[in-house]
Amino acid sequence: MPTIRDILKETKTRIREVDTAAGSDMRNNGAIMLDVRETDEHEQGEIPGAIHIPRGMLEVSVEARISDKDAQIVAFCAGGVRSAFAAESLKHLGYTDVVSMDGGFNKWKDEGRDWAVPASLSPEQRNRYHRHLLLPEVGEEGQQKLLNAKVLCLGAGGLGSPAALYLAAAGVGTIGIVDMDVVDASNLQRQILHNLDRLGERKVDSAKKTLTALNPDVNVVSHDLHLEASNVLDVIKEYDIVVDGADNFPVRYLLNDASVKLGIPVVHGSIFRFEGMVSVFHPMEGPTYRDMVPEAPPAELAPSCAEAGVLGALPGVVGTLQAIEALKLILGYGDTLIGRILAFDATEMTFQEYKIHPDASNQITWANRDRIQIADLEGPCAPAPLAPPQ
């Protein structure tokens, strides 16, 4: 019967093997470092930027984590045994350019090459986020991204309520809430962050109580103010993403102009009676709100929910979709709604998709970001002024 040493020797004849110096050079030239050690080993130290997939999960998880089968991959374990078997397995899965790093992480570390102790989840967090950890597309690395992320919810109302709840449940580490209103009985038909006991309470305070009770991991930051030109940049610059639940055009345009100037993506949502829509406006990657709506329609053609009404459960659908898009942006996974509108009709229970294209006449762009002057907008919401070119 062959021994493991015999099997390893035979395996190494069928794969490519490199030393740590060559592995480091390949990494510097863009190769993917693939760590196949067990979780407890990985927690003791990692090569920064490496993708961690325990050897026992490799075959079922790797295609979700490394989709390009022609990518150059340097597989490593503690010493070079498991990575050799991993390299052969990846070859059988169709990966064309895989090497095993002889000596593994232990030799890498002993030679003084860069390594770090990764952030790790507590036992309580592993239990709370277990369903995320089961997803190869999220895993512990993705959960750490969520815990380190900062998302601003503009409004603690119909859209902000479900969006903030699901962001908090998912473990987004910092959630800002902008709202200057108080809880009213008429809000409770759809604004599920609040309840009867909090009538008359500031909405940001009510939201903070609900979100921290749901997940104490989350730092909820209250912004009890009206978003305007004098404060919008200072507020949103602290966040990675803005979830837009605004209900009026001047604030939407103001947010657009500030987010374009700072390069912050906005997950837009809007609702009206039985209909809603969601899109993602990323200043550096696609169209923005001004490309979709160059000029606000007359007030009589665009009544607010307070004037036209809204089905109570509708914001739950739209706000949840906004939360999903925000999570995808944080994780860097999936096809987001950049350049697309997803429209929902509750009466027919249908979704339709529309493309958005950049408007050539729109000057509020990432390329002009240094010239954008933030101003409060009234009337037809004309574009913010641009400073003269330098």
Side-chain angles (χ1 to χ4, degrees), residues 46-311:
E46 67 172 357
I47 297 176
I51 293 175
H52 176 235
I53 306 176
R55 177 66 190 91
M57 296 293 295
L58 183 65
E59 287 79 5
V60 297
S61 302
V62 67
E63 291 178 323
R65 302 288 300 280
I66 306 175
S67 59
D68 181 3
K69 293 196 173 182
D70 292 323
Q72 190 174 56
I73 300 171
V74 179
F76 68 93
C77 57
V81 175
R82 285 167 291 174
S83 61
F85 293 124
E88 183 170 50
S89 184
L90 289 172
K91 183 178 178 181
H92 289 317
L93 289 172
Y95 289 87
T96 62
D97 193 358
V98 184
V99 301
S100 171
M101 189 169 74
D102 186 35
F105 179 76
N106 291 343
K107 186 176 181 183
W108 179 285
K109 181 179 175 182
D110 290 342
E111 292 174 340
R113 302 183 190 278
D114 63 319
W115 66 280
V117 176
S120 59
L121 301 178
S122 68
E124 293 78 15
Q125 289 174 322
R126 289 186 183 281
N127 183 48
R128 172 181 283 273
Y129 305 119
H130 182 60
R131 299 303 189 276
H132 272 177
L133 302 184
L134 292 174
L135 295 171
E137 300 84 354
V138 181
E140 184 157 345
E141 181 182 349
Q143 191 60 53
Q144 291 290 355
K145 288 181 180 179
L146 295 175
L147 288 165
N148 292 329
K150 298 180 179 180
V151 177
L152 179 68
C153 291
L154 180 50
L159 295 176
S161 288
L165 280 165
Y166 272 110
L167 292 172
V172 172
T174 300
I175 298 177
I177 305 289
V178 176
D179 206 304
M180 62 171 296
D181 203 356
V182 298
V183 180
D184 182 82
S186 65
N187 302 147
L188 304 182
Q189 167 250 17
R190 64 203 176 281
Q191 299 181 17
I192 56 176
L193 278 173
H194 317 297
N195 59 47
L196 278 172
D197 293 337
R198 300 181 193 160
L199 294 181
E201 191 170 322
R202 308 301 297 180
K203 281 188 178 179
V204 291
D205 295 334
S206 174
K208 186 168 186 174
K209 290 177 182 177
T210 300
L211 297 176
T212 53
L214 174 64
N215 190 350
D217 283 346
V218 178
N219 174 35
V220 180
V221 181
S222 301
H223 300 278
D224 191 354
L225 50 80
H226 176 67
L227 209 61
E228 54 192 27
S230 63
N231 59 32
V232 63
L233 292 175
D234 288 335
V235 172
I236 73 171
K237 72 180 182 181
E238 301 299 328
Y239 296 90
D240 307 313
I241 298 166
V242 178
V243 173
D244 176 18
D247 60 359
N248 65 84
F249 286 102
V251 172
R252 289 173 183 160
Y253 284 112
L254 179 69
L255 173 62
N256 175 84
D257 300 345
S259 68
V260 171
K261 187 174 183 68
L262 295 175
I264 298 174
V266 174
V267 182
H268 172 78
S270 59
I271 51 176
F272 177 72
R273 291 172 54 82
F274 297 89
E275 300 175 359
M277 57 166 284
V278 183
S279 189
V280 174
F281 303 123
H282 198 309
M284 293 177 282
E285 297 186 19
T288 65
Y289 186 75
R290 285 192 181 276
D291 293 309
M292 182 180 75
V293 187
E295 184 175 299
E300 62 272 16
L301 297 182
S304 67
C305 292
E307 299 167 311
V310 62
L311 186 68

